[in-house]
Structure formats: structure tokens, C-alpha cells
Amino acid sequence: MRTRVLRMPTCAGSSPSAPGARSTLESWVRGAAMRTKLRALAVLALLAAQLVAGVCPAEAASPSVHVVQRGETLYSIARRYGTTVEALMRANGLTDPTRIYAGQRLVVPAPGTAQPAAPSGNVHIVQRGENLFRIALRYGTTAQAIARANNLRSTSLVYAGQRLIIPTGAAQPAAPSGNVHIVQRGENLFRIALRYGTTAQAIARANNLPSTSLVYVGQRLIIPTGGAQPAAKPAPAPVQAPTSGKWIDVNLTTQSLVAYEGQRPVYWATVSTGRARTPTPTGRYRIYKKLRSTTMSGPGYRFRDVPHVMYFHGNYTLHGTYWHSNFGRPMSHGCVNLRLADAQWLYEWAPVGTLVVIHR
């Protein structure tokens, strides 16, 4: 039986050795190479555009991490990175600036980090030496209102360069027959009078108080309307106030400090003075030395990098305090403790030779 062999027709170019097949393969290889080059050029163009726009991913602003070394404080770390103690505390969820330890990893916020602006209200950029109280006076509102508008936990936690929303219409209008104010912790008549645009003497007269310093937490005070009323016979001041020049008044009873230019008050702060066993001396003194920062030590304590120190009598000083926040009550070994922002403002404002009057 004869076997028949069937031959399949051969299409042109189906054989690998055919010239047409080689031409097709070479065309495909050249096309693939061209596509690869185009993709590489696209990537290079994208990177170039990012460099021109200043948005290089490797250099985008991001927080850095600092490992705390033995002997360091939040204040010294903040100075090293050009930031503030308050900013470091917020970035790391700290509530006590003294509770850090060697080996702790701290997030250092990137410089220039700003808070987004609210849809309404003015925006104020915090300047060096400012605090919420001073800013509030400028805009006719209160430090508490600004703190609420910016979700701040404390009226002292601001830093240079911070963007603050100034609420519109935050100041409380005076009622026609007089407001009633309930005294809060750390307040005195002077601070309350500044808030309502009157004087401490006028409030004392409206409430039949024998002295401008006799107020207590929870006390209800009538705030007179129409500004200050002239007194027939003003109550005697506890100290003889200068009539010109810069001077500082420290009231041990109210735990407050007021900076004056002549008889005009320009700044107010709550302080912590000496405890019963280590009292702050009373009298009239002069600032004789100023230090940006120094180490303070004594029996049972040693604090490094104490900021904005001003000596007024022996080793007694006015200085910034980062190891406690109990301002408004005696806490010190005799010095006058100030919040960091208050100490910085006072340091920049008061030259050597400024009078310091301390009394009860």
C-alpha cells in the first residue's frame, strides 16, 4: 500500500531564516528600544520639573528625630534646632518639660511649620518676645479667646513665627449697668481692669474693697461702666511708684509682675516667687547683670540652661522657668520665676539698671 505524504503550503516569512522574518524582528527590537528611551526621558523630565519647582521628594520638609543626651534639656534642644520648648512638647505629646531622659527619641518639628488659617478672623504672625496677653491687648480681645480660636491648651504656648487666628468680635462688650466678673486663679485687679478697659482703683471702689490687691478666686466683682471715675482720695500705694523711666513691680501677695514706663503699665505676667522657707526679699533693687542662659544650682536642685536671667540682688534673679508651670503660687528658692515667653519679653525690654520693686 502506497503512503501519500501531504505537504503543507509554506507562507512567505514563516520560516525563521526567511529575510522577511529577520526584518520584522529587527523592527520590533528597534521599537522596544525606542519605547524604553521614551520612558526614561519621561522620568527625567518629571524629576527636572520637581527640581525646578523645589519639590524634590528627598528634600521635602519633614520632622527630624533627636536622641536625648545626658545633661540635655528641652530648652537646650530647642535652641540647637531653632525651635521652642512649646513646639517640641506639642510634637511629642509632652505635658511636663522637665520629664525627658537620656536615650529618649524626640520628634523635632520641621522649621516653618504653620497652622492653617481659619475661614474668618485676622491672622497674626507671632514675633520674637510676644505672648498671647500682649497680642490680645493689640487686637482688643483676650488671651483666652485667642487660645480657644487656635485650639491651644495654654495661654503661654506660642512661639516666634506661629500663625494665630485672631477671633472677630471676641472682646466682651460692657453691659449698660456694669458687668460681673468672677475672679479666676492667678488674676488680680490690675489684670481684670486691663481686660475691661478700666482701672484697678475703679473696680476697688465699685466693690468697696479697702485695697487693690484683696481679691480671691471665685469672688464676684462688679465692673463699673464708663471707665475710671476720679477718686476723691486715692488709697495709698504699697510702694512709692516712680514717675518716669522703666521699672518692674513684683507683688508677692498676688504673685504678679507689672512692667511700667513711668506710671503707664506696659506688660503684666503671673509669677512664682519664693516659698515660706526661701522667701523672695522685699525692697527696691536694680538689675545689675543679665545672662541669656546659665546653670542654677543649690541644695536639692540643679537646672541647666535657665533662660533670660536678670540679677537684681545678690544671687536673686528674675528668670524663665521650664521645670514647672504652677505660676500664681510660691514655688521658688527666692528668685522670681516667669513663663518662658514672659521672661524673654522682660529680658529684651529691661536694660541693666532697671528698678525692681518687690512688696507684699
Side-chain angles (χ1 to χ4, degrees):
M1 186 174 181
R2 183 180 295 178
T3 302
R4 298 180 63 183
V5 179
L6 298 177
R7 296 182 179 274
M8 300 296 295
T10 302
C11 297
S14 63
S15 173
S17 60
R22 286 196 298 271
S23 175
T24 302
L25 180 60
E26 290 172 358
S27 298
W28 183 87
V29 170
R30 284 195 298 269
M34 181 61 70
R35 287 191 294 272
T36 301
K37 290 180 180 179
L38 289 175
R39 283 195 294 269
L41 289 174
V43 172
L44 289 175
L46 178 61
L47 290 175
Q50 289 178 335
L51 288 173
V52 170
V55 192
C56 182
E59 297 181 0
S62 60
S64 57
V65 176
H66 175 83
V67 180
V68 179
Q69 304 299 313
R70 182 180 180 85
E72 286 187 324
T73 64
L74 276 189
Y75 181 75
S76 63
I77 296 169
R79 288 180 60 187
R80 174 177 176 182
Y81 288 94
T83 183
T84 64
V85 172
E86 291 82 5
L88 287 174
M89 291 177 65
R90 279 194 298 274
N92 294 274
L94 302 177
T95 57
D96 187 343
T98 65
R99 293 191 176 182
I100 61 172
Y101 53 87
Q104 184 177 2
R105 297 172 65 86
L106 294 177
V107 175
V108 180
T113 303
Q115 298 179 354
S120 62
N122 297 315
V123 176
H124 176 85
I125 309 297
V126 179
Q127 304 300 312
R128 180 181 178 89
E130 287 186 325
N131 62 17
L132 281 189
F133 181 77
R134 187 179 183 188
I135 297 168
L137 283 179
R138 175 177 176 181
Y139 288 93
T141 182
T142 65
Q144 292 77 13
I146 298 178
R148 285 194 299 270
N150 293 272
N151 296 319
L152 302 179
R153 292 177 297 175
S154 168
T155 54
S156 65
L157 296 177
V158 295
Y159 54 90
Q162 185 176 3
R163 294 171 62 87
L164 294 177
I165 306 304
I166 308 299
T168 56
Q172 299 180 358
S177 59
N179 293 315
V180 174
H181 176 85
I182 299 176
V183 179
Q184 304 299 312
R185 184 188 183 93
E187 288 185 326
N188 61 18
L189 282 188
F190 178 80
R191 184 180 186 184
I192 298 169
L194 280 180
R195 175 177 177 182
Y196 289 95
T198 182
T199 66
Q201 291 76 14
I203 297 177
R205 285 193 300 274
N207 293 272
N208 296 318
L209 300 178
S211 169
T212 55
S213 63
L214 296 177
V215 294
Y216 53 87
V217 176
Q219 184 175 4
R220 296 172 65 86
L221 295 176
I222 297 173
I223 309 299
T225 58
Q229 301 294 328
K233 186 177 180 181
V239 295
Q240 184 178 359
T243 57
S244 63
K246 294 181 177 181
W247 63 285
I248 298 168
D249 179 87
V250 179
N251 189 320
L252 301 180
T253 302
T254 61
Q255 293 290 288
S256 62
L257 176 150
V258 182
Y260 286 90
E261 292 180 2
Q263 295 184 336
R264 181 174 66 91
V266 295
Y267 197 82
W268 182 93
T270 304
V271 300
S272 288
T273 58
R275 298 177 179 179
R277 293 183 179 180
T278 55
T280 301
T282 58
R284 298 164 70 92
Y285 309 99
R286 297 274 179 182
I287 295 174
Y288 68 88
K289 184 170 68 172
K290 297 171 60 175
L291 296 175
R292 282 280 176 187
S293 65
T294 189
T295 297
M296 290 187 171
S297 61
Y301 71 94
R302 180 179 176 82
F303 299 113
R304 297 168 59 91
D305 299 313
V306 179
H308 302 114
V309 181
M310 296 189 289
Y311 290 83
F312 61 85
H313 177 61
N315 288 326
Y316 292 98
T317 67
L318 302 123
H319 62 75
T321 306
Y322 58 79
W323 52 89
H324 78 78
S325 58
N326 296 320
F327 300 99
R329 65 174 62 179
M331 288 290 295
S332 78
H333 293 83
C335 292
V336 179
N337 290 183
L338 294 131
R339 291 186 175 92
L340 297 178
D342 295 333
Q344 182 179 4
W345 185 93
L346 206 63
Y347 186 92
E348 301 293 342
W349 175 82
V352 170
T354 299
L355 176 66
V356 179
V357 179
I358 303 177
H359 61 93
R360 296 191 179 278

